[in-house]
Amino acid sequence: MFNKRTKIKDLLAQEPTGQEVIVMGWVRTFRNNQFVALNDGSTNTNLQVVLTLGAFDEATLKRITTSAALKVTGTVIPSQGKGQKLELKADTLDILGDSDAEAYPLQPKKHSLEFLREIAHLRFRTNTFGSVFRIRHSLAFAIHKFFNDRGFLYLHTPIITASDAEGAGEMFRVTTLPFDGTPRNEDGSINFKDDFFGRATNLTVSGQLEGELGATAFGDIYTFGPTFRAENSNTTRHLAEFWMIEPEMAFYDLEDNMNLAEAFIKYIIGYVMEKNREDVEFLAARLAEEEKSLPADKRSEIGLIEKLEFVLNNNFERITYTEAIDILLQSPAYKKKKFQYEVKWGVDMQSEHERYLVEKHFKKPVIVTNYPAAIKSFYMRLNDDGKTVAAMDILAPGIGEIVGGSQREERLDVLTARMQQLGVPADELWWYLDTRRFGTVPHAGFGLGFERMVQFVTGMGNIRDVIAFPRTPKSAEF
Ligand code: 4AD
Ligand code: MG
């Protein structure tokens, strides 16, 4: 029977009283034919397994190589060595799986993150990725807990849809039509009637529209699932496949929406700081070490833990888009022509502008509201000024936009006028518009990019290092 094992994390929390335990894991190092550092993924701290000299035959010892899988039965005793409270004196040892040390690509030394991306199938076995993925797991769990505790319903919105929720046209097509001899209509266009769903379909870019259907029945819902964007952005913040959390609430205005988003972000950070302290500390030290090689002006002013504590203990700054543009126009960076992209009312802020606001000007997360209608999606509520919408983006230090949301346009006539203006097909979204026909209510919601949140909490600079198997332009290995 296998499931009698004690996890190393749990074992390390016990007192060594000569108890008998079974542990299983993978060898990190083996020295002096005597000391095995064993890791089972429950923590970065290895268990020291001590083999009594002469108690195990030569052939077995030879098979204890880096990443070999072991089952060890032994006695837990106080450690003689420094650095650990206890160790396991091995009584029996089984090699569950050999590992050819010559061929194994992960040597017990420092590897670059770029190299580890090429062996993403093995990188979970490093301390850095161990910490990142345990934190990612915890964040996901905290997200469900936050919403569940507040009576939100977890709605599973579809992955395959026939609509473009953002109206931005960045969709991956889903089809079973043949590439050769694609059926055509008389005018030469593709005849999707013969396609699997009898119409053109794509992978979802957002669950929001379906989320609004849920909110206008259940009150408060959230989605948490994969979303897909065929945008050709090769940056450290963009993935073609990423996970998004999208709460949608009936009877909410923009301010309610901001309050929820801020409380939500603080809650999930607080949860990880409490439950994953060891992993956060490990990553904070890793980041501090990594930054030593940067020029002084590129280093963070504060460490990862201080940054997270600061976010927990301070209110987010709240400003309008108009105020943000004014700050940028007044900034020394603007006056010294440090910005690459244009700053003026009406244009979308670029990452350099967002980062100036959060990292240089306010030095804290900032919620920017009331953007020009022309640069935001069709579903956002038009303000009384007729030119801005009740949008909100949350910008985080080191990341830029982490949340995008808005109060929704609940007035059917205003919504359909906006759709027409922006060329969003009202006939295809008849079901969405029905919410505005039958008991429409003020409502609001937002989307948190899960990987950007994981980046923020782990301090990892590249989004490819916080998702197990990143999908980016020209890359879908593993
Ligand atoms: O701002 P976005 O496009 O908003 C929506 O999709 C809305 N439907 C959300 C809503 O109101 N329910 O995306 C939301 C967030 C962004 O703020 C960003 O954090 C993340 O999703 N995001 C990405 N993350 C990784 N890779 C990409 N290509 C991303 N695009 C957006
Ligand atoms: Mg956005």
Side-chain angles (χ1 to χ4, degrees):
M1 183 158 98
F2 268 95
N3 57 15
K4 269 277 177 136
R5 78 179 169 112
T6 303
K7 293 207 174 171
I8 290 174
K9 183 178 185 203
D10 300 332
L11 182 57
L12 293 174
Q14 294 177 15
E15 289 307 316
T17 56
Q19 64 272 45
E20 272 270 305
V21 296
I22 302 172
V23 295
M24 296 178 215
W26 295 267
V27 175
R28 284 285 173 89
T29 59
F30 183 37
R31 38 182 195 94
N32 302 347
N33 263 352
Q34 220 185 339
F35 302 107
V36 182
L38 196 70
N39 190 283
D40 69 358
S42 59
T43 163
N44 274 349
T45 312
N46 300 323
L47 175 68
Q48 165 139 295
V49 177
V50 184
L51 311 184
T52 306
L53 281 174
F56 297 89
D57 61 68
E58 216 34 55
T60 304
L61 295 178
K62 277 218 168 67
R63 292 171 64 198
I64 306 178
T65 53
T66 303
S67 228
L70 305 188
K71 171 181 179 182
V72 185
T73 307
T75 318
V76 187
I77 54 170
S79 178
Q80 260 93 73
K82 292 200 297 278
Q84 67 253 335
K85 162 174 89 174
L86 56 79
E87 60 193 29
L88 187 68
K89 190 174 153 303
D91 297 326
T92 65
L93 184 151
D94 297 313
I95 312 274
L96 300 177
D98 289 289
S99 169
D100 178 352
E102 296 291 306
Y104 185 60
L106 271 177
Q107 296 307 318
K109 62 164 200 171
K110 221 173 139 46
H111 293 290
S112 74
L113 295 173
E114 289 78 12
F115 170 72
L116 293 173
R117 244 169 260 151
E118 289 167 19
I119 51 162
H121 59 305
L122 295 173
R123 65 183 179 168
F124 300 131
R125 298 185 191 188
T126 64
N127 284 338
T128 297
F129 287 91
S131 289
V132 166
F133 283 93
R134 279 188 296 270
I135 289 175
R136 183 179 163 113
H137 161 80
S138 250
L139 276 171
F141 188 82
I143 287 164
H144 284 299
K145 184 161 163 50
F146 176 87
F147 288 120
N148 185 60
D149 287 354
R150 282 158 189 76
F152 282 60
L153 182 139
Y154 179 22
L155 187 70
H156 298 95
T157 51
I159 307 289
I160 300 174
T161 70
S163 57
D164 177 2
E166 289 302 298
E170 294 169 332
M171 297 166 305
F172 288 101
R173 180 140 282 171
V174 175
T175 180
T176 54
L177 289 178
F179 288 116
D180 298 324
T182 314
R184 300 276 168 178
N185 298 313
E186 274 171 17
D187 64 1
S189 61
I190 294 172
N191 177 7
F192 286 105
K193 292 226 163 31
D194 292 342
D195 204 350
F196 189 91
F197 296 106
R199 61 189 303 170
T201 51
N202 51 271
L203 295 178
T204 187
V205 295
S206 156
Q208 180 196 319
L209 303 188
E210 292 88 353
E212 287 184 53
L213 308 181
T216 50
F218 297 110
D220 300 329
I221 65 96
Y222 71 106
T223 72
F224 187 170
T227 49
F228 308 85
R229 304 231 173 144
E231 54 183 332
N232 196 8
S233 298
N234 241 313
T235 79
T236 55
R237 311 276 176 258
H238 286 89
L239 290 165
E241 174 179 305
F242 65 99
W243 288 65
M244 190 158 39
I245 298 94
E246 296 185 274
E248 191 70 33
M249 296 73 62
F251 321 113
Y252 259 56
D253 66 10
L254 188 65
E255 194 181 344
D256 298 319
N257 205 22
M258 286 192 272
N259 292 344
L260 181 77
E262 182 169 342
F264 169 57
I265 289 174
K266 287 179 172 168
Y267 176 87
I268 60 179
I269 292 176
Y271 184 92
V272 167
M273 293 281 273
E274 191 194 320
K275 306 279 183 197
N276 298 75
R277 195 72 201 184
E278 193 184 273
D279 286 321
V280 176
E281 279 169 6
F282 176 85
L283 291 170
R286 189 204 76 84
L287 189 64
E289 190 59 37
E290 184 185 74
E291 292 203 337
K292 278 189 194 155
S293 64
L294 296 177
D297 66 322
K298 291 266 185 308
R299 289 181 213 155
S300 320
E301 283 169 29
I302 53 172
L304 181 64
I305 294 185
E306 294 78 54
K307 176 187 85 174
L308 296 173
E309 273 167 358
F310 182 85
V311 170
L312 284 183
N313 297 324
N314 289 279
N315 291 335
F316 294 6
E317 197 68 37
R318 297 181 183 194
I319 57 168
T320 64
Y321 167 89
T322 304
E323 286 164 344
I325 294 294
D326 283 344
I327 292 169
L328 293 172
L329 289 173
Q330 302 296 323
S331 68
Y334 179 78
K335 289 179 178 155
K336 289 188 200 141
K337 301 200 184 334
K338 289 254 172 76
F339 292 133
Q340 198 188 334
Y341 292 91
E342 186 184 27
V343 181
K344 73 167 195 216
W345 202 95
V347 302
D348 213 357
M349 278 192 279
Q350 299 294 322
S351 149
E352 57 176 354
H353 307 134
E354 298 178 339
R355 296 185 70 160
Y356 177 85
L357 289 174
V358 286
E359 287 158 31
K360 294 274 183 317
H361 190 83
F362 290 111
K363 298 184 194 289
K364 51 153 67 168
V366 178
I367 313 184
V368 183
T369 57
N370 301 321
Y371 284 75
I375 58 170
K376 288 290 185 188
S377 300
F378 67 92
Y379 50 71
M380 297 190 179
R381 192 177 198 279
L382 193 65
N383 288 325
D384 292 343
D385 62 13
K387 52 178 198 178
T388 61
V389 286
M392 60 169 220
D393 275 8
I394 303 186
L395 314 178
I399 306 286
E401 181 191 334
I402 195 162
V403 161
S406 73
Q407 186 173 335
R408 316 306 189 192
E409 184 54 77
E410 84 284 12
R411 298 161 295 186
L412 182 64
D413 52 338
V414 184
L415 180 59
T416 46
R418 277 272 286 161
M419 288 168 75
Q420 193 165 23
Q421 216 174 40
L422 296 171
V424 177
D427 51 339
E428 281 175 24
L429 290 178
W430 62 272
W431 47 272
Y432 178 68
L433 294 173
D434 264 3
T435 53
R436 276 61 169 178
R437 292 193 180 102
F438 307 116
T440 191
V441 286
H443 64 289
F446 62 85
L448 171 74
F450 187 51
E451 284 74 22
R452 292 191 188 174
M453 189 68 214
V454 182
Q455 275 192 282
F456 186 71
V457 175
T458 59
M460 298 298 284
N462 194 315
I463 200 164
R464 294 166 178 81
D465 297 330
V466 299
I467 186 164
F469 305 107
R471 268 80 181 102
T472 51
K474 303 278 176 285
S475 166
E477 193 71 55
F478 311 109

